[in-house]
Amino acid sequence: MRGSTRAKWVVSAAVIAMAATACGGSSDDDKGDEGKGGDSKGIVRAYWSDPQNPLEPSNTNEVQGGKILDMIFRGLKEYDPKTGAAKDAMAQSIDTKDQQNFTIKIKSGWKFSDGTPVTAKSFVDAWNYGAYLDNKQLNAYFFSDIDGYADVHPDKEGAKPTAKTMKGVKVVDDTTFTVKLTQKFSTWPSRLGYKAYSPLPEAFFKDHAAWLKKPIGNGPYKLESYVKGQGAKLRVNAGYSGTDKPKNGGVDLKVYTDGNTAYSDLQAGNLDLLDGLPAAALTNVKTDLSGRYINQPAGIIQTISFPLYNKKWGTEKAKKVRQGLSMAIDRKSITEKIFQGSRTPAKDFTSPVLGAPGGYSDGICGELCEFNPTKAKQLIQEGGGIPGGKMTISVNGDTGSHKDWADAACNSINKVVGNDKACTTNLVGTFADFRNQITKHEMTGPFRAGWQMDYPLIDNFLGPIYKTGASSNDSLYSSKKFDKLLNQANAEADTTKAIQLYQDAEKLLVQDVPAIPLWYQNGDAGYSDKISNVTLNAFSVPVFSDITVK
Amino acid sequence: MGRYVMRRLLQMIPVFLGTTFLIFVMVYALGDPVAAMFGDRAPDPSTAAKIRHDLNLDRPLLTQYVLYMGKIVTGDFGEAFNGQKVTELMGSAFPVTFRLTIVAILIEIVVGISLGLISGLRRGKIVDNASLFFTLVVISIPTFVSGYLLQYFLGVKWGVVEPTVSSGAPFGELIVPGLVLAGVSLAYITRLTRTSIAENMRADYLRTAVAKGLPRRRVVTVHLLRNSLIPVVTFLGTDVGGLMAGALVTERIFNIQGVGYQLWQGVLRQNSPTVVGFVTILVIVFLVANLLVDLLYAVLDPRIRYA
């Protein structure tokens, strides 16, 4: 009797196991259509997660939406994946005599994937759409340098636009349009590679809802099918006129609920490309994927910013404390131990992806970014010690592992000042709440700030964050000298000289320390043995058109 | 019976209003979702104000709630921030989670009850001790550990099953996730059934049944098991709701875009239409499951009558 019951037990367990394997086996066949692409038709199967906003170019400000827009759109400029330099894509020429009025000629013969031609009007309409307040586009500020932006997008809360189109943008003929800026801005054309400046087909304006369901662009790929929350199938756009024609048959983007899940699929051979590896995978990724792993700095810098509007932190004396705190943080150990090398200690206020032509220089931060306990302690003491004897570093708890590094940074500071309780982490529950407190200027101590560049040029790392009254100047830093240098740089016709002026401005930041540069976030990706020639561009998005499938 | 059901249905209305309001307040308390939409950049005030206005976020909380409930009555559950209708999200998420729940419940019932029955009948014997040990182990392993382990060994290392579930989530692919999801409840059901069986073994009606010479099979299945199932059914009833809402961990591990995942996304992006909409449906599921459980009591135990 006892034997027979035990047998039942075993049998039932076996039945479950068999059912599991049998069904797993049959599901292989079901998945066949989806899966075999990777081998036979030259399709790359890549990781995706649901874009946060509808897929309009001027409304997409995060990586996952940017990934697909990068494939289906080409703007006037394109950033070289290796050097980050802005090259002409759809632009034939962008001419200016006074750094303020630009004449843009586009190449003729380009078509959207629905067959309609890309004309000057496609650009002008798209830009006007992006800027117009009632369209609620998150990237509207990209057009704020254009004359007439204030009429279509007044800055004040509750104000109504007085015009529908910007008076600074005019169509001359099918392939020419002119742009007038509100002030001189020599490096303005370099930012035109950002996807917010993409042209839009007439279909976008005629049937907006249908376009959103299946966006139509002029890029190297066209969208074959798109199911929100599940994935998108992209195939080569046969009518694409650019030089970077895809070297594969297409890309299948698959939405995953979690990075770890995608990593399991990558190991099991069901996925070819995973960018943004989960933290848990970093320790073993090199051996797991036998070296098929890329890890390089991205256009993202993390800093600790100071609330200069607060009496404790904004004074001339507190400047020394800010300098001291910067030298008290052991960036190298934190990036290695906590981030497993997925961050690179910062050496300036920009990012290495800019390269020397874009304005990056590894000598700018100098001593300020070096760990130097003795000097740090001395500076903090000279500045009167940490204000009130205690400080907190505020971070949000819901994304990234910010608490880990903030604890480590505090630990590093505490060791320097010789007080276990001097610095603690202040954890704010959600990112939304965290941003809310920052934008209302309610911070009483240093807080985490991150900056993801819009385009790979030095001015994007300075103007929006540190210029007086700039949109992301969360510290309320204000320096007349700094503002003047930026304005000079913007008006300088010679790019090399302009970069020099931007760097001079950046050096002021090193003296004034409105923020402490911490590290550059790295972009990383792992890939299967079925694909090769995988690279990441300056935005840490895989260069899909270059990927070859075995 | 009919009147009883009627009364229970009417009672659901205040419960429904109360829970949705509480959830609405909680999501509201999380803070302003618009600031997060702009990423690390400070929101441009006029765009942010415009978005807030269009989402009714600039009105007082109570007005927002009334406006929201007014729309729900007409079947309009609002939109997620990516422009997708919440009803559309529900349409894709609920069937998937429902299938996963069925798989899990079936595993719980079949394995849990049989294990409980066997160990209850053989109290104190090796089988009983083995099952006690097994259930203790299962209860003490958190879902994400068993989930990742099964996924790694079955899916990645040995390749017997696909490590992730494809977008359609057919039953076959849901067996391993179902097993993981069922794990903890399965252990509870085993313990509950065992105790209940052991207790009823000494009941008078069972002695009578044995004394009048009924075959053992009939004594066990009809008399013993049926009467012992009441606590188990109670547990299963509440578990249905729990499994549907609480499958978040399992769903994330196995790439199942079900209710738990959508709820998690909604909370993360502070999209109240998504969160409140899904919770509303879950509340209804809970209420109905509980009603069914109460009705099942009468079926299992003829002594129970509803009026």
Side-chain angles (χ1 to χ4, degrees), chain A residues 28 154 229 258 261 265 270 454, chain B residues 41-42 46 115 162 164 252 257:
Chain A
D28 274 355
D258 190 64
T261 310
D265 246 3
N270 291 330
D454 301 313
Chain B
R41 184 180 292 275
S46 50
L115 264 185
E162 293 289 333
T164 59
R252 283 193 70 188
Q257 279 148 25

Side-chain angles (χ1 to χ4, degrees), chain A residues 288-367:
Chain A
D288 279 354
L289 298 175
S290 2
R292 294 186 306 274
Y293 168 60
I294 315 171
N295 181 22
Q296 64 188 44
I300 304 171
I301 185 168
Q302 297 284 350
T303 61
I304 294 178
S305 290
F306 293 98
L308 299 182
Y309 45 83
N310 185 297
K311 274 186 206 144
K312 289 194 297 189
W313 293 100
T315 59
E316 196 59 26
K317 224 179 162 194
K319 187 156 77 179
K320 287 224 159 128
V321 180
R322 304 201 298 265
Q323 287 168 343
L325 288 175
S326 177
M327 292 182 204
I329 297 172
D330 188 356
R331 295 168 177 77
K332 192 159 171 282
S333 305
I334 297 176
T335 50
E336 276 167 14
K337 298 217 171 91
I338 291 181
F339 293 114
Q340 320 282 351
S342 65
R343 304 283 188 280
T344 309
K347 292 198 161 66
D348 75 340
F349 281 86
T350 67
S351 161
V353 293
L354 306 184
Y360 170 73
S361 162
D362 63 4
I364 286 193
C365 195
E367 199 185 30

Side-chain angles (χ1 to χ4, degrees), chain A residues 340-481:
Chain A
Q340 320 282 351
S342 65
R343 304 283 188 280
T344 309
K347 292 198 161 66
D348 75 340
F349 281 86
T350 67
S351 161
V353 293
L354 306 184
Y360 170 73
S361 162
D362 63 4
I364 286 193
C365 195
E367 199 185 30
L368 184 75
C369 295
E370 296 294 330
F371 179 51
N372 186 346
T374 348
K375 181 132 194 227
K377 191 170 186 181
Q378 189 196 333
L379 278 168
I380 293 174
Q381 275 169 355
E382 279 172 27
I386 292 171
K390 269 183 188 173
M391 63 178 266
T392 56
I393 298 178
S394 299
V395 296
N396 58 306
D398 56 345
T399 60
S401 38
H402 295 306
K403 187 177 185 301
D404 297 347
W405 70 253
D407 282 346
C410 267
N411 191 25
S412 190
I413 291 169
N414 288 343
K415 269 191 192 156
V416 166
V417 297
N419 175 0
D420 267 358
K421 292 182 183 108
C423 174
T424 48
T425 305
N426 171 32
L427 204 59
V428 182
T430 61
F431 182 60
D433 192 22
F434 180 63
R435 282 305 311 171
N436 237 354
Q437 294 183 18
I438 291 175
T439 49
K440 284 185 184 153
H441 305 304
E442 287 170 356
M443 308 308 285
T444 53
F447 53 92
R448 168 187 95 82
W451 181 257
Q452 177 161 20
M453 66 174 190
D454 301 313
Y455 48 91
L457 208 64
I458 184 169
D459 70 273
N460 189 237
F461 283 88
L462 303 179
I465 322 174
Y466 302 111
K467 203 174 177 189
T468 308
S471 61
S472 290
N473 190 342
D474 294 329
S475 311
L476 295 189
Y477 171 69
S478 174
S479 155
K480 277 186 190 141
K481 262 166 126 185

Side-chain angles (χ1 to χ4, degrees), chain A residues 510-529:
Chain A
V510 179
Q511 289 168 21
D512 292 346
V513 209
I516 301 175
L518 290 174
W519 34 74
Y520 315 115
Q521 200 157 317
N522 288 14
D524 58 3
Y527 51 98
S528 74
D529 53 6

Side-chain angles (χ1 to χ4, degrees), chain A residues 186-237:
Chain A
S186 59
T187 54
W188 184 77
S190 300
R191 58 162 67 184
L192 296 176
Y194 193 71
K195 286 292 164 277
Y197 296 103
S198 301
L200 288 168
E202 272 179 33
F204 179 87
F205 303 98
K206 267 190 199 147
D207 191 349
H208 193 64
W211 192 90
L212 283 183
K213 272 201 181 127
K214 200 180 164 187
I216 298 162
N218 64 335
Y221 293 94
K222 63 171 191 243
L223 203 53
E224 193 171 272
S225 69
Y226 172 34
V227 184
K228 273 184 188 159
Q230 290 182 5
K233 286 188 195 306
L234 295 125
R235 294 296 173 265
V236 171
N237 178 8

Side-chain angles (χ1 to χ4, degrees), chain B residues 18 25-26 77 106 117 153 161 170 180 189 263:
Chain B
V25 173
M26 281 186 229
F77 279 83
L106 277 181
L117 179 63
F153 283 108
V161 292
V180 171
I189 286 182
L263 262 178

Side-chain angles (χ1 to χ4, degrees), chain A residues 258-275:
Chain A
D258 190 64
N260 289 307
T261 310
Y263 190 67
S264 299
D265 246 3
L266 178 66
Q267 283 176 290
N270 291 330
L271 184 72
D272 293 326
L273 177 58
L274 168 61
D275 56 324

